[in-house]
Structure formats: C-alpha cells, structure tokens
Amino acid sequence: MFLSPVLDKKAEGRSRVDRDADNLQLQQLEEKDVVSSVANVLSDLCGPGEWMPMEKLHAVLLDKYSGVWHHGRVRRYLTSEEWSCPESKGKPWYGLLMLLRKYPEHFVINTRSKGRVTLEFVSLVSLLS
C-alpha cells in the first residue's frame, strides 16, 4: 500500500504528539508516586511542626525505594546525575528538591544559609498548620 508523503508526515506527526502525550502522562504519574512516597515518609517520621533535613529525607528514600523504583526514577530524584547546574553539586537530592518545589500545596521548604553552606529542610503543609 502506498501512502502519499503528505499523509505519511501527518501520521508521523500525530504519532509523535501521541507519544509526547503518553510521556507527559507517565511523567505526571511518576511524580505523583514520588510525591506520595515523600508524604508518607514525612508523615511517618515527623510530628506536628517538625522539619526534616533534605539530606535525611534523601537517605530514607534511597534506603526504602532504591530497590523498588525504576533506575530512571532513582536517577532523576535520588541522584544529581541529570542535573548539571552549580546548585546541584554535592546534593544528590537536588532533583527531589525541584520536584517538591512544584507542589507548594503539599510541601514547605525552608532554606538556611551560613556562609557557603546551604541547608534545605522540608515539611508537609498539614504538619505545620
């Protein structure tokens, strides 16, 4: 069967749009799962008004989920491999921090700087209100 180049291009464009939509949906589901995991860890380990250092949250998530989550998800949220900005240097939780900042309705992030050292702390909104 012969398809004209125009129809072939339209089909190719449509399949790319479908793939992009599928990828976006998968990314949103992945983010939702990670956010849910973080919320569970925070609610289990923090009491009302308590903050958890990002470093500790990262360690707990790494211990609990590195063998469960797909390696791509671990790389995205629990390593700094996919981040090349200066802020990510020495912070394997940088991807996780960026994800949590996308959900201010669920997470509060407190940043403290002393000299060149910046520390991040996180809590659930529900634990602070």
Side-chain angles (χ1 to χ4, degrees), residues 41-99:
V41 167
L42 289 172
S43 64
D44 288 348
L45 300 179
C46 292
E50 289 185 349
W51 296 84
M52 181 177 284
M54 279 299 296
E55 191 169 2
K56 180 177 179 184
L57 176 61
H58 171 261
V60 170
L61 290 171
L62 197 58
D63 181 57
K64 196 169 185 173
Y65 295 105
S66 65
V68 178
W69 287 350
H70 184 272
H71 68 274
R73 184 183 300 187
V74 171
R75 191 173 61 245
R76 249 185 306 287
Y77 302 112
L78 300 180
T79 74
S80 56
E81 288 177 30
E82 294 197 5
W83 302 89
S84 60
C85 57
E87 298 85 23
S88 69
K89 187 173 173 139
K91 295 182 179 183
W93 59 86
Y94 189 78
L96 181 64
L97 182 63
M98 294 299 99
L99 175 65

Side-chain angles (χ1 to χ4, degrees), residues 28-40:
Q28 289 170 338
L29 288 171
E30 179 180 270
E31 285 184 3
K32 185 176 178 182
D33 188 42
V34 172
V35 164
S36 176
S37 299
V38 170
N40 286 335

